Every structure is written in C-alpha cells, then in structure tokens.
Amino acid sequence: PVGNDGRTRFSIARDEIQRVLAGMNKASSFNIVTYRYVSNSPPFAARQAAFDKGVQPVTPENIKPAEAWLSKRDVFGLSAWTENVLAALEDPKVQVVYFINGGDFSRGMTTRIPRVGKILREAMRFAPVAFINIGLDMGYVRTEEMKQLTSSVGGVFKLAEWKK
C-alpha cells in the first residue's frame, strides 16, 4: 500500500486508466496492453491485451469488458519499461499511448534511460504517436528522469492523481 488510504500503486493505475477512458473522445479507439516480465530461468515475458484484435471504439460495450479484464490483472512480474511501450506500438492504428508506470527500469532489453529514449525515438520515427507518461509515486529523482525521458520522445509527463 501507498499513501494513507491503503491503495496499492496498481489500484491507483487502474483508477488512472478509468479516468483516461472516461475522458476520451467517443470517436476514439482504445486498448489496454500490459507486458509482463518474470525473472524465471528462462525469463517469462508476454504481451497481454484487453482486445486481441487491436484498438476498439470507446463505447460502454467495450469499456466494460476492458475494465473487467484489467481487474483480473495482478502485479506479479517486473518492470520491462521499454517492452511495455513497444507492445502498445505494435498495433499500427495506435495514435496515443497513455503509459502508467512507477519509473522502475529493473528488467527488459535495457535499464539505461538514454538507451530507452533512443529505442522509443526509433520506434516512433515512422509511426508518430502522442505519448503521455503518467507517473506513480516515483520520488523526486525518478520523476525528474521520467520528465526528461518523456520530453526526449516528444511526450508529456504527468503525475497520477492520488485522490479518489
């Protein structure tokens, strides 16, 4: 738990996703994608998505099953930050990525922030998307690093809202 209300970072991330969905233009499309990395031998890594067929229209008929899918996700696994963002970019119809994270670069193809920025800039070069990075309780140093990284790929950084 974080803060004084007993919620976890993951529950706060779920709240942020619901806030994003509620504020989306009804002519838009969305998907919720996660990338899990578990340090087994060999490591387990997998892309998971609410909709296997890619982005879907923002309608109550799609939001309800997406939220149900998200409520079944757990937090087991480690942060493969780069792979998380690249998983969202796999769908060529994606125009905006809302990335909710705790700022931890602990696993994945790289844990070095300059390398992450380079990989993301290359990935977005010919498939430009708007990138909004929503940070969860990172502490000052991680927050500043996230601001710089997000800016380096032309994105916007915001801290998550902790109040319900």
Side-chain angles (χ1 to χ4, degrees):
V2 293
N4 58 5
D5 65 1
R7 292 186 301 155
T8 65
R9 284 181 176 87
F10 201 60
S11 66
I12 293 167
R14 286 183 185 129
D15 292 346
E16 284 294 322
I17 291 170
Q18 289 173 336
R19 198 174 285 111
V20 166
L21 291 174
M24 287 183 75
N25 181 314
K26 301 309 174 203
S28 299
S29 297
F30 79 103
N31 199 353
I32 302 172
V33 178
T34 64
Y35 185 92
R36 292 176 58 132
Y37 184 98
V38 181
S39 291
N40 289 334
S41 183
F44 166 79
R47 177 188 188 275
Q48 301 171 324
F51 303 111
D52 292 331
K53 295 181 181 181
V55 295
Q56 300 297 309
V58 177
T59 64
E61 296 80 21
N62 287 328
I63 290 174
K64 188 174 180 176
E67 287 177 340
W69 176 86
L70 184 62
S71 73
K72 296 175 186 169
R73 299 302 98 185
D74 62 24
V75 293
F76 184 69
L78 298 165
S79 176
W81 206 96
T82 309
E83 290 86 338
N84 267 289
V85 178
L86 294 177
L89 297 174
E90 287 178 9
D91 186 336
K93 294 179 182 174
V94 167
Q95 297 176 335
V96 180
V97 173
Y98 289 89
F99 182 63
I100 302 171
N101 74 98
D104 185 23
F105 292 88
S106 60
R107 296 290 187 274
M109 65 176 64
T110 184
T111 58
R112 294 182 13 239
I113 292 176
R115 179 82 178 122
V116 172
K118 182 178 182 199
I119 291 168
L120 295 183
R121 284 188 298 279
E122 289 172 6
M124 294 182 202
R125 183 173 172 203
F126 295 110
V129 299
F131 182 66
I132 296 102
N133 184 356
I134 302 171
L136 302 171
D137 188 35
M138 300 177 173
Y140 179 76
V141 173
R142 282 289 186 209
T143 298
E144 291 305 307
E145 290 173 343
M146 283 296 115
K147 285 179 183 177
Q148 291 172 6
L149 172 63
T150 304
S151 176
S152 81
V153 299
V156 175
F157 178 83
K158 300 284 183 188
L159 285 172
E161 292 184 21
W162 290 86
K163 297 176 258 153
K164 281 190 171 188

